Amino acid sequence: MKRIGVLTSGGDAPGMNAALRAVVRTAMHYDMSVVGIKRGYNGVLMKSENPSDDYIELTRSSVAEIVHRGGTMLMTARCLEFKQRENQIKAIENLRSIGVEGLVAIGGDGTFAGAAKLTELGFPTVGIPGTIDNDLPFTDFTLGFDTALNTICEAVNHIRETNTSHERASLVEVMGRNCGDLATYAGLACGAEMVMIPEAPWSIAGAVEKLRVARTKGKTNAILVVAEGAWESMQPFDIKAFCDQFGLPSYFAEGEMNTQKLCVVLEKLSGQETRATVLGYIQRGGSPSANDRLLGCRMGERAVDLLRNNIGGRVIGIHNNAIIDVPIEEIKGKRRQANPEFMDLMNVLSL
Ligand code: ADP
Ligand code: F6P
């Protein structure tokens, strides 16, 4: 294969730029050319009036000065139309019309579902995991996770100082729709009292008990880390009875549980002043950590190595610090499990 495309899709993640640079420079090393596709799978549909809004030729110098930058120079987006087969066929025709023979798709499991479809239709595509959530089962780490983890630790350091000064507890919401890795790793690294994640059942009574025990042990502040998707594993809680008990208006019981509401519940039930901080996009941006840059370099190189040998339908990962690639269809429908060692350690170290 002499000419390949590369795109970033789904949520951005620090390290995507390092991977783009590695893809381009590895390809150049082997005398291949590279087309950068803009805005995820939108770019391959080539609907813009001006082709350079959809794709650009990438050279060694077009990827200069990006290894240390967060985000993605190719931009990223969701493209729901790409789920339709006729659009996938159109995408392949479009790519072939500009001489592109294979594609590197950097993103999460949705992006890989698209890559699997292209491969099935005869267009070799390789996936690189780029998502801060670390929610993919076949790899120890995804691009962006390490940076986001460090950002969370930095934020919790700040929160802890205010907590200590005011003798308060804090509930800190981190990203992770289906995966509690950010919460678990951050909980351990920040010395949190508890983590709440989607993969393991937890209860409000348990959280109140943690706060109580913390106080009896002389702690004047506490950090509870909650993954944004943790609500699916929360044990039933009678919020109406809670409203009656504390004289709260009935609208408080309406809608789904969320971090702000949980904060009110914990404060009332524990008697400890509690604040909620939702870290949000703070976690997605920022200069990639050295580990994410290295991961981008190594994964980008492997992706090109596969395509130059006409191998598609694989996703790149890292396991025991070795770069691996596995068949894309092997990961379909599989969910990453919580790290049991980390969960146990959390219980041992937290109080
Ligand atoms: P992520 O890649 O981070 O999981 P999404 O789930 O939003 O992010 O998926 C990113 C994009 O991948 C979607 O907007 C769509 O273009 C493509 N995609 C997702 N699922 C499929 C699918 N089943 N078939 C084809 N393309 C898909
Ligand atoms: O990158 C993954 C993720 O951060 C999820 O944890 C979160 O739910 C989602 O992206 C939000 O992304 P967006 O605001 O781009 O839809």
Side-chain angles (χ1 to χ4, degrees), residues 4-10 16-17 20 34-58 62 72-79 81-82 91 94-95 98 100 103-106:
I4 60 172
V6 61
L7 57 80
T8 48
S9 156
M16 281 182 162
N17 276 327
L20 286 172
V34 185
V35 174
I37 315 281
K38 294 186 179 174
R39 302 179 187 83
Y41 290 111
N42 292 290
V44 287
L45 298 181
M46 297 187 189
K47 284 184 164 177
S48 305
E49 249 170 60
N50 186 350
S52 67
D53 286 336
D54 288 325
Y55 61 91
I56 45 167
E57 203 65 35
L58 294 175
S62 34
T72 156
M73 69 167 281
L74 290 178
M75 295 172 284
T76 184
R78 271 92 190 188
C79 173
E81 290 164 270
F82 191 72
N94 287 341
L95 287 166
I98 55 168
V100 173
L103 183 68
V104 180
I106 307 173

Side-chain angles (χ1 to χ4, degrees), residues 9-11 41 77-80 82-83 88 107-111 113-114 117:
S9 156
Y41 290 111
R78 271 92 190 188
C79 173
L80 297 182
F82 191 72
K83 292 187 178 178
Q88 294 157 8
D109 56 352
T111 302
K117 292 284 161 49

Side-chain angles (χ1 to χ4, degrees), residues 13-16 19 106 128-132 141-145 292 295-296 299:
M16 281 182 162
I106 307 173
I128 292 181
T131 161
I132 67 163
F141 297 110
T142 56
L143 286 177
F145 173 73
D292 277 330
L295 204 54
M299 288 182 166

